[in-house]
Amino acid sequence: LQVKLLPFLLHPLWQSPLTIPGGTRQSPINIQWRDSVYDPFLKPLKISYDPTTCLHIWNNGYSFLVEFDDSADRSIIVGGPLENQYRLKQFHFHWGAINEWGSEHTVDSKFYPAELHLVHWNAVVYPTFEEAVMEGNGLAVIGVFLKLGAHHEGLQMLVDALPAIKHKDAVIEFDVFDPSCLIPSCPDYWTYAGSLTTPPLTESVTWIIKKQPIEVDENQLEAFRMLLFTSDGEEEKRMVDNFRPLQPLMNRTVRSSFQ
Ligand SMILES: NS(=O)(=O)c1ncc[nH]1
Ligand SMILES: [Zn+2]
């Protein structure tokens, strides 16, 4: 198995070791449906996004991100497993070179072709995102699986912007977008205590993984794969397979909001 892991272990994307030394709650993980524990005390997740808080869309050399004005409580989530309300800061995706893989989390060891992460931070307790990143209850990330299927109208607005941010560090203004159009209507989710899946890999994330995927079509996935890891003028490297390998569950239980 170690030999199989070798390419991932050496993957250029993460200079830091695969798991940070002493890491006990790293992400992503495989969600074994039958091992998840229904928690009747989990509340429904309440999502209230203000589409005008959208700022810009950019290529950070690892994924493409849509960033939001998080200077006030205008786009927030509350409820679910969360003690406080959390402010939306950005969302981004992870995807594969082909449809057989691409998501970070897996369900019963099944990969989806892509995964959306909506990143929120606990502005009730912490003064800045940077400080929240370092705290166990600092962040809440909603994960949504993408599966190959029907055309997704809401996603198309993002897809249409991608050619303008093909290269690393390219950014364009993006004034109005409501990310709730990317979140499935089914309220069911799994939740567990984990980490960021990119450096600094800090163990500060309450993960909320939606059970129901959203459907996107082949052309929309292909548009993700035309982005580049590289800056303008550098030898082109297609932005694909920007997902972290699965991490050990260790002493954690995944809870479900549904039976
Ligand atoms: N992929 S992730 O959502 O864990 C993340 N967000 C910011 C940095 N890394
Ligand atoms: Zn992510």
Side-chain angles (χ1 to χ4, degrees):
L1 175 68
Q2 288 312 321
V3 173
K4 255 180 72 175
L5 264 178
L6 205 53
F8 281 128
L9 283 164
L10 303 175
H11 200 287
L13 269 182
W14 291 281
Q15 307 314 322
S16 49
L18 190 66
T19 46
I20 49 176
T24 58
R25 52 174 279 193
Q26 289 289 294
S27 294
I29 59 167
N30 174 52
I31 297 167
Q32 201 66 36
W33 194 314
R34 64 178 177 282
D35 294 343
S36 63
V37 178
Y38 169 58
D39 179 349
F41 296 103
L42 281 173
K43 302 188 189 72
L45 186 63
K46 265 185 63 45
I47 298 170
S48 329
Y49 293 152
D50 171 351
T52 65
T53 54
C54 190
L55 293 172
H56 47 252
I57 182 169
W58 70 293
N59 177 333
N60 73 348
Y62 166 74
S63 181
F64 69 92
L65 292 84
V66 178
E67 291 195 310
F68 290 79
D69 169 7
D70 60 352
S71 58
D73 287 332
R74 293 170 58 194
S75 288
I76 56 142
I77 58 172
V78 69
L82 305 171
E83 300 287 310
N84 300 117
Q85 70 176 25
Y86 286 65
R87 268 185 209 166
L88 176 66
K89 178 159 184 65
Q90 53 103 327
F91 69 81
H92 62 274
F93 296 81
H94 304 263
W95 60 91
I98 59 174
N99 297 336
E100 275 56 46
W101 60 71
S103 60
E104 296 216 295
H105 292 87
T106 54
V107 179
D108 294 344
S109 301
K110 167 198 162 72
F111 281 95
Y112 285 88
E115 184 173 333
L116 159 64
H117 289 160
L118 297 125
V119 181
H120 309 75
W121 61 284
N122 184 344
V124 170
V125 174
Y126 306 108
T128 64
F129 172 77
E130 286 69 25
E131 282 176 79
V133 163
M134 307 310 289
E135 303 293 335
N137 63 342
L139 304 179
V141 182
I142 298 175
V144 179
F145 295 117
L146 276 63
K147 72 179 263 195
L148 191 60
H151 182 79
H152 195 293
E153 279 302 302
L155 187 77
Q156 193 55 36
M157 283 180 58
L158 299 177
V159 166
D160 290 340
L162 297 185
I165 57 163
K166 189 178 169 72
H167 293 100
K168 180 175 186 295
D169 295 330
V171 55
I172 56 166
E173 198 185 318
F174 209 63
D175 355 25
V176 182
F177 184 79
D178 180 358
S180 36
C181 78
L182 300 173
I183 300 175
S185 51
C186 176
D188 296 347
Y189 61 85
W190 289 284
T191 183
Y192 78 97
S195 74
L196 293 175
T197 66
T198 66
L201 302 172
T202 43
E203 299 184 333
S204 54
V205 180
T206 299
W207 280 95
I208 300 166
I209 308 286
K210 300 291 283 186
K211 181 185 82 175
Q212 185 181 57
I214 58 170
E215 291 193 20
V216 302
D217 69 25
E218 179 64 37
N219 294 331
Q220 294 178 311
L221 283 172
E222 274 307 319
F224 285 17
R225 299 177 182 131
M226 284 168 22
L227 290 169
L228 301 177
F229 283 128
T230 43
S231 306
D232 199 351
E234 284 179 348
E235 185 204 352
E236 297 202 346
K237 288 196 183 72
R238 285 190 319 141
M239 185 180 276
V240 292
D241 297 334
N242 56 355
F243 57 91
R244 190 190 191 194
L246 292 172
Q247 301 298 307
L249 184 61
M250 303 187 93
N251 180 30
R252 288 181 285 182
T253 301
V254 177
R255 290 180 290 160
S256 65
S257 71
F258 59 94
Q259 280 184 310

